[in-house]
Structure formats: structure tokens, C-alpha cells
Amino acid sequence: MLTRISIALFLALAPVTAFANSCPSQMAAIDAALQTASLSEADMNKVKQLRQQGEDLHNAGDHPGSEAALGEAKRLLGI
């Protein structure tokens, strides 16, 4: 019985761990793309704002929200 509960708990928390690990790699990809991006000043500011929002949400534990903000920043960068 304890084994089943342990397995169920592991499976329930596995997606949260996956989201948590992908946020930093997405932030790194955005940071790298910002170095060579040729965007308007408004779009550049929007990307930077979304990237910061993504980091703040990640640090607060809101990984789906972080993924959404970082995904939008990546879309604007074309990556």
C-alpha cells in the first residue's frame, strides 16, 4: 500500500519538476538570442519584460505561467 502511494505521489509531482527544469533553459535561450536580435525598441522592451516576468513567475513557483511568458518572448524573438 505504501509503495502505491509513493508511486502515485511521484507521478503527480513529475510534471511540476519537468516545468521547473525547462524554465531556466528557456531563459538562457532568450538571453542568448537577445545578443543578436534585430527587433524594434518596443519589441525588444516587450521581450525583456516577458523574460523578467517569466523568471519572476518561475521563482514564485508558477511554472505554467512562467512557460507562457517565456514562450511569448521566444515567439517575438523568432526562436
Side-chain angles (χ1 to χ4, degrees):
M1 180 72 168
L2 184 58
T3 303
R4 288 183 184 165
I5 293 172
S6 297
I7 290 171
L9 184 60
F10 172 76
L11 292 175
L13 295 177
V16 172
T17 304
F19 279 127
N21 291 334
S22 70
C23 297
S25 64
Q26 288 193 41
M27 287 185 270
I30 292 167
D31 292 342
L34 278 171
Q35 301 302 314
T36 59
S38 57
L39 299 172
S40 69
E41 186 175 336
D43 284 344
M44 186 68 79
N45 289 335
K46 183 67 174 172
V47 168
K48 289 178 181 178
Q49 177 187 15
L50 287 165
R51 195 263 186 228
Q52 185 60 51
Q53 180 183 4
E55 183 173 0
D56 292 343
L57 290 168
H58 169 76
N59 290 337
D62 182 0
H63 300 292
S66 175
E67 292 277 330
L70 296 172
E72 179 64 16
K74 288 173 64 176
R75 185 190 68 74
L76 288 170
L77 284 167
I79 57 172

